[in-house]
Amino acid sequence: QVSLKESGPGILQPFQTLSLTCSFSGFSLGTSNMGVGWIRQTSGKGLEYLATIWWDDDKYFNPSLNSRLTVSKDTSNNQAFLKITSVDTADTGTYYCTQRDWGLYYFDYWGQGVMVTVSS
Amino acid sequence: DIMLTQSPATLSVTPGESISLSCRASQSISTNLHWYQQKPNESPRVLIKYASQTISGIPSRFSGSGSGTDFTLNINRVEPEDFSVYYCQQSNSWPYTFGAGTKLELK
């Protein structure tokens, strides 16, 4: 059974770097065709797809945030990571990770989400 | 980016009514359109994939139709647990995008 859970700092200040962890079970990023996607939900832009990391370390970034995003993975520990640099209040929202399966372009499995607040 | 426009923004209905929610794409996306339901304080849940394909475990009262730029999510006889927000999402072009949602509320 697939399960994902996000974790993060909760609150951070403008210009800091946001670091999020997705811990998952029921699949492996060591398996071909598996990936983890990151989606956020903000009051300003609603649901926004941010990035994907695949089993072969291929990565895709939303061009609107491309220069600020980094994704990585720890295959042995079933974790994926998202970093967003130089945050501001517009980055406040709930961040989700999702399982990705190559060739499937909808999102079947989501984490519960982690709330992130950017405030001075 | 492909824009998805959902209408109406809010729909007020009574249980037992049958309804249709609209999602319009800014350019043709074939049938690469998926529907989600989100209840308060929960993650979105996929209801329909590729415009009209069913998802295992989703009640049969949910159905989808459309292709190109115009899509519809139908709920046949709304149940009390259906009052939530519905989103469409396109996977035709990167970056994937979502509509702003339609809130289904109790009249």
Side-chain angles (χ1 to χ4, degrees), chain A residues 81-95:
Chain A
F81 310 98
L82 173 72
K83 290 186 190 292
I84 304 179
T85 60
S86 193
V87 297
D88 67 14
T89 55
D91 295 309
T92 293
T94 300
Y95 287 73

Side-chain angles (χ1 to χ4, degrees), chain A residues 61-72:
Chain A
F61 299 103
N62 190 318
S64 68
L65 295 97
N66 189 9
S67 61
R68 299 173 55 211
L69 299 178
T70 304
V71 291
S72 59

Side-chain angles (χ1 to χ4, degrees), chain A residues 45-58:
Chain A
K45 290 195 171 184
L47 288 163
E48 184 177 23
Y49 195 94
L50 300 177
T52 311
I53 185 166
W54 292 103
W55 81 100
D56 60 357
D57 214 36
D58 202 5

Side-chain angles (χ1 to χ4, degrees), chain B residues 5 7 14 20 28 51 56-57 71 74 81 93 106:
Chain B
T5 302
S7 61
T14 55
S20 295
S28 178
S56 175
F71 301 86
N74 300 295
E81 61 267 30
S93 302
L106 182 62

Side-chain angles (χ1 to χ4, degrees), chain A residues 49-50 61-64, chain B residues 1-2 90-98:
Chain A
Y49 195 94
L50 300 177
F61 299 103
N62 190 318
S64 68
Chain B
D1 296 3
I2 292 176
Q90 66 83 21
S91 60
N92 193 72
S93 302
W94 180 254
Y96 309 139
T97 50
F98 292 83

Side-chain angles (χ1 to χ4, degrees), chain A residues 41 49 61 96 105 107-108 111, chain B residues 36 38 43 50 89 94 96:
Chain A
Q41 189 166 27
Y49 195 94
F61 299 103
Y96 300 96
Y105 298 99
F107 313 120
D108 228 344
Chain B
Y36 298 82
Q38 187 177 31
S43 307
Y50 300 106
Q89 173 243 326
W94 180 254
Y96 309 139

